[in-house]
Amino acid sequence: MKKICSLFLIGLLAIQCKNIQPPKSVVHKAQGLITENAMVVSARVEASEIGSQILLKGGNAFDAMIATELALAVAYPFAGNIGGGGFMVYRLADGTTGALDYREKAPLAASKNMFLDEIGDIINGKSTLGGMAVGVPGTIDGLFKVHEKFGTLPFSSLIQPAIDLANKGVVVTKKQAERIAIYKEYFYKVNGTKILLDSVWKEGDTIKYVQLAKTLQRINEHGRDGFYKGETAEMLVNTVQKLGGIITLEDLEKYQAKWRKPVEFTYKDLKIISMSPPSSGGICMAQIFNAIEPFNLSELGHNSEKTIQLLTEAERRAYADRSHYLGDPDFIKIPIETLISKSYVKKRMESFSWDNATLSSTITHGKIAGFESNETTHYSIVDKFGNAISATTTLNGAYGSKVFVSEGGFFLNNEMDDFSSKPGTPNMFGLIGAEANSIEPGKRMLSSMTPTIVEKNNKFYMSVGSPGGSTIITSVLQTILNVYEFDLGMQEAVNAPRFHHQWLPDVITMEPIGFDSTLIKNLQQKGYIIKQENTTIIGKVDAILRLPNGKLEGGADYRGDDTAAGF
Ligand code: DON
């Protein structure tokens, strides 16, 4: 049934996405917003503008991050959140890099087999819908950690725009109205009562988020404790426990976001800085970049048969390793240095041939001798001082677990599904996990989120990231390649059709438009299975590129309501 559930989810996303095509005007020679100084690109115009206003007032990229993330929690409840978590990678103007992990954690009462029945089978929907699916949220603690270390404007000035937006209300877009209509029945099913979004909301209506404004006000007044203790914490715990969940006040009180060392590697003359475990994004992307580096991609051609083949084979091997080796580094040992070394990947690619597809059934994780000293939204920000951030934040599924803390006005995540509930059984994104990502109390679930910053010639080059579950890694990778190898501008690179392979299932998923039938036939003849009908969106990338003349170009994905703002 878990499988049915995932198929259902994918089906829904497909309904949501199948008619989306880039407007003709943006397919070729599309150019994103160009600014001189600073920019924010996010999933909603309200959030990008709020972030950009903070930058204009003299705030830095971190101040703008706090304001943008909170504005997304109001304007984009589909994925923006205070009841979820995320990751942020930064690069300061002086070249210093770092990363913040504000990923959710398993509650202290969680246990390895909590999603299995007495005969060891997965219980349908338990890790995706309702109280048990919820991980301990990390977003608010993450924002306070950012403020403490890098903030220059008072926190109250960064949260106030989100409070005002929630009180004033947010206008429903066409895409949002469609999403709400699709998920409405789940809101009632999970919560057992009507919630705010559980009405007929049409394009152009305004939704006021009064309860959420009050929660944000409590956070404004009491800081971190306005969420993790007192009234908000009690509302959250009562809601979750009433729906059979196990989160306690102690879980909330103990939650801590963590500064991490990002994964850094080179690709030709680029330096790529991306998220480290508990996200798989940086390691997986490093492996794919290392595997393709010996080839002349620009000569092979953008989305050509050979490029698709090469990337697919690199992705197949990287995702097989992801499944075996990666998890929360606070709980397991991950051989990061080996996994991202050029020599290790070279060996993994020895079985690659241009003639035939390697079957995933013949690929397992690479052997490492001994371990040396493991629905989302993305936004990118560059400030006028030259600091850049790349942040991806999520509730996991659309509206997370669908559990809505009505008194507090916010949804809670279903991030527990990112654990491997049963080794070998796919999760919502078809990802197979192993022991490294099994459930343990207080452990963080493995992620694919890949907030990334790219340097060229020691200078900031690009900030990029995406939602899309398992397809995040390959979407970010293709966007970087589109600019660097195939000479597309930032917006063109975001618009370009994408494809994805993740080892298992052994298929190349392609977006419905942009790949011609001869190309597909040729790949099929080599043994590749192509899935193109009813595919979901592959990523929804938001990015900022520094152009040779020093200006910034935004890439805001047409697949959503994404928008760039800046000056
Ligand atoms: O952390 C992860 O990899 C997932 N929870 C991300 C979910 C996601 O991107 C859903 N959006 N389409």
Side-chain angles (χ1 to χ4, degrees), residues 305 308-309 312 357 498-501 506-512 515-533 535:
E305 184 183 328
I308 293 174
Q309 227 186 315
T312 296
R498 297 191 272 262
F499 61 92
H500 169 77
H501 193 289
D506 191 352
V507 290
I508 305 177
T509 311
M510 285 179 169
E511 285 188 309
F515 296 94
D516 73 55
S517 53
T518 317
L519 169 81
I520 290 171
K521 223 182 280 151
N522 291 346
L523 286 165
Q524 283 167 333
Q525 267 163 13
K526 288 181 175 168
Y528 292 96
I529 299 161
I530 313 280
K531 180 173 176 286
Q532 212 183 8
E533 268 164 35
T535 55

Side-chain angles (χ1 to χ4, degrees), residues 103 375-376 394 396 415 418 429 447-449 467-469 472:
R103 179 72 160 166
E375 233 32 66
T376 305
T394 190
N396 193 26
E415 223 71 60
D418 273 348
F429 297 104
S447 171
S448 300
M449 289 190 276
I472 293 174

